[in-house]
Amino acid sequence: MKIGYVVKRYPRYSETFIVNEILEHERAGLDIEIFALRPPTDSHFQGAIADVRAAVHYVDPPAGVSNFWSRLSDAARSLPGTWPAMAAAAGMEARDVFQAVQLAVLGRDLGVDVLHAHFATSATDVARLTGRITRIPFTFTAHAKDIFHQSVDTDTLRRKLHDAAAVVTVSDYNLQYLHSSFPDVSGNVRRIYNGLDLPRFPFTLPGERERRIVAVGRLVEKKGFDVLVEACGVLRKNGIAFHCDIIGQGDQEQTLRNLIDRFDLGSHVTLTGPLPLHRVKEEIQKAAVVAAPCVVGADGNRDGLPTVLLESMALGTPCVSTDVTGIPEAIRHDVTGLIVPQRNARQLARALATMLGDPALRCRIAREARSLIESSFDVAKSAAALRGVFADAVRTPRSIVPVPSRLGKVA
C-alpha cells in the first residue's frame, strides 16, 4: 500500500505523534507520501524528522479566482469525478476545495491507495473531497479539539464520520463520546492510542532527583498553567522547597508572568520559552515530577491525552495531572501517577508536595507507569493497528450514500 498522510502543517513542533507514526510505518515497509496544506511556522522541530524518508508535498493554495477555475477545469479533464464531487463541497472553504482538487491530481499521479488525515478539520475536509473526486478511500484521526471545541459544527463532523472508510480516535473517552453523540454514523470509529518509539525514551528511576517540577506545553488556557502557578504559590507559602520550570510559549505568557509576580514566585517559577525536543527530554529526565494540570477551556477546548505525559511516564518521571477526558486512561491514580480535580490549586499543590517529598513513591509509580506505556502505548503496536485500518479500507471499498438528514446530538 501507498498511504498519503494529509496534515495542515508539516513539520509541526507539537505533533510528535504524527512523526512517530510515519517512522513506524516506514520501518514496516509502508510507502508514505506527506501532503501539507500549509508551510511550517515553528522555530523548533523534532530531531526524528530527519529520519523520515517520505517526500513532503506542499499543496498549492489558489492564486486568484481565474486560477481557481482554470485549475479545476484542468483537473476535470483527467479526473471525471471532479464536477460530480463538487456537490460534496457545500460549505467548504474555497481554499480547501482548490487544495482537494490539487491533491486529487497528486494522489492519482503518485498511486496513493489510502488518504489518512490527522485532525478532523481542514485536513479531513480536503481528504474527504479528494476521496469523492478520485474514489481513493480516506480515513482520519479525530483529536480532542476536533470533537469538543465550541467551534465544532456537529453536522459537518457527522458528514466526515459518515463518509470516511474508517475513523480513529486517541482515547476511550473520545470513542464513547462519538458513539453516544453520533450513534448512526460512528460504527466505523475505533480507538488507537498515540504511541511512542520506546527506544528513544530510556527509563531511569526518579529516586535521587532535584526537587524540580517541570511542565511542558503551549501557554494556553487548556493546559492549566495558571492553576500550576497558583499551586506553586501554595507550596511556597507552606515552606516547601522546589523549583518549577514551565516550557513553552503561547498567548497566556503575560498572564502567567503577572501571576508569578502576584505570588512572589520570581525565584521559584521560570518560564523558559520553547526548547528543542531533545532539551525537553533532558529537563523531564532531571525533574522529580511532571505537572500537567489540564482543564476544559471556556470554549470547550481540552487536551485528549497529552503526549508529554506518555513521554514522561516512559522516561521514568512521575506525573501529576487532572481527570480531564482521556488522561485517567494513562494516569491511574496512585498507580501510574496522581490525579487531582481540574482547577483545584490546593489539591494540585498537595499532590506535587507528595511527589517531591517521597522518593520511594516516585520509584513505585515510575515502574508501574513504564510498564503501562510498554503494554499500551508502544508505537509499534499502535501503527500496526492503524495499518490494519488502512488495509481494510483498501479491501472493502465503500459506496458513499447521502448522509442521513438527522443531526447528531450534542452531549
Side-chain angles (χ1 to χ4, degrees):
M1 290 186 296
K2 177 177 282 192
I3 308 301
Y5 262 67
V6 186
V7 293
K8 185 173 182 179
R9 295 188 190 275
Y10 183 89
R12 201 164 195 175
Y13 175 78
S14 61
E15 294 174 2
T16 55
F17 50 89
I18 297 177
V19 175
N20 291 342
E21 206 171 271
I22 290 171
L23 284 170
E24 190 57 35
H25 291 325
E26 290 185 333
R27 290 188 195 104
L30 206 61
D31 197 359
I32 304 289
E33 304 282 348
I34 300 169
F35 302 101
L37 308 182
R38 311 281 193 278
T41 57
D42 295 330
S43 58
H44 296 86
F45 299 105
Q46 310 96 318
I49 283 173
D51 298 329
V52 174
R53 299 191 304 271
V56 183
H57 309 271
Y58 291 97
V59 184
D60 293 336
V65 173
S66 61
N67 174 254
F68 180 97
W69 288 112
S70 65
R71 295 289 285 271
L72 258 65
S73 297
D74 290 345
R77 281 192 283 273
S78 60
L79 290 168
T82 301
W83 295 124
M86 288 301 111
M92 288 178 60
E93 296 288 336
R95 175 175 181 146
D96 293 342
V97 175
F98 183 88
Q99 289 186 304
V101 174
Q102 302 314 301
L103 180 55
V105 175
L106 280 168
R108 178 205 58 192
D109 291 348
L110 292 167
V112 169
D113 296 298
V114 178
L115 293 166
H116 182 70
H118 260 284
F119 296 93
T121 50
S122 56
T124 295
D125 282 327
V126 169
R128 171 178 171 267
L129 185 56
T130 299
R132 286 292 190 103
I133 294 169
T134 61
R135 297 301 176 187
I136 297 172
F138 87 95
T139 61
F140 69 94
T141 297
H143 299 265
K145 185 175 182 179
D146 314 328
I147 301 170
F148 303 113
H149 194 278
Q150 66 180 14
S151 65
V152 173
D153 182 311
T154 55
D155 196 25
T156 299
L157 178 56
R158 192 164 182 273
R159 283 196 294 269
K160 294 170 187 176
L161 293 168
H162 173 269
D163 287 0
V167 180
V168 171
T169 194
V170 297
S171 72
D172 287 330
Y173 184 96
N174 291 359
L175 181 66
Q176 290 159 10
Y177 176 89
L178 291 171
H179 281 171
S180 64
S181 300
F182 304 93
D184 56 339
V185 292
S186 59
N188 62 344
V189 183
R190 61 176 296 184
R191 187 269 292 154
I192 299 176
Y193 286 128
N194 288 334
L196 300 181
D197 183 4
L198 291 179
R200 293 180 183 267
F201 295 89
F203 176 81
T204 57
L205 281 172
E208 300 300 325
R209 295 192 185 176
E210 299 176 26
R211 295 174 66 88
R212 290 183 63 233
I213 303 164
V214 166
V216 183
R218 290 182 298 126
L219 308 186
V220 296
E221 183 190 10
K222 71 177 182 177
K223 297 297 183 181
F225 292 149
D226 55 335
V227 184
L228 175 59
V229 173
E230 186 179 350
C232 287
V234 175
L235 293 175
R236 179 183 178 279
K237 183 178 179 180
N238 292 340
I240 295 170
F242 75 97
H243 190 86
C244 177
D245 292 303
I246 301 176
I247 301 170
Q249 62 184 353
D251 58 21
Q252 279 205 330
E253 179 174 343
Q254 191 56 54
T255 299
L256 296 176
R257 292 194 184 281
N258 293 342
L259 283 172
I260 290 168
D261 291 341
R262 174 184 164 190
F263 292 111
D264 193 21
L265 291 167
S267 61
H268 289 79
V269 177
T270 302
L271 301 182
T272 69
L275 294 176
L277 287 182
H278 74 276
R279 284 285 314 284
V280 172
K281 188 185 297 186
E282 290 169 3
E283 296 305 311
I284 290 172
Q285 287 174 309
K286 292 188 292 186
V289 57
V290 164
C294 304
V295 303
V296 177
D299 58 1
N301 198 11
R302 65 200 76 178
D303 269 320
L305 211 174
T307 302
V308 68
L309 286 176
L310 307 180
E311 293 174 343
S312 301
M313 293 165 69
L315 290 167
T317 303
C319 301
V320 174
S321 193
T322 59
D323 52 355
V324 169
T325 59
I327 291 172
E329 295 171 42
I331 306 295
R332 300 172 183 175
H333 183 63
D334 203 31
V335 179
T336 61
L338 297 179
I339 288 285
V340 299
Q342 62 172 310
R343 300 188 188 277
N344 192 317
R346 290 192 175 279
Q347 289 202 40
L348 176 60
R350 189 176 301 120
L352 292 172
T354 298
M355 284 292 200
L356 289 169
D358 193 338
L361 172 68
R362 294 201 301 265
C363 289
R364 173 177 67 79
I365 281 178
R367 289 190 184 97
E368 292 286 349
R370 176 70 188 204
S371 178
L372 178 64
I373 293 296
E374 291 177 353
S375 65
S376 300
F377 296 93
D378 183 343
V379 73
K381 298 175 183 177
S382 298
L386 190 53
R387 289 193 295 277
V389 170
F390 299 155
D392 288 344
V394 171
R395 280 195 299 263
T396 314
R398 299 173 66 242
S399 296
I400 300 175
V401 298
V403 63
S405 60
R406 184 171 57 83
L407 299 182
K409 69 175 182 178
V410 178

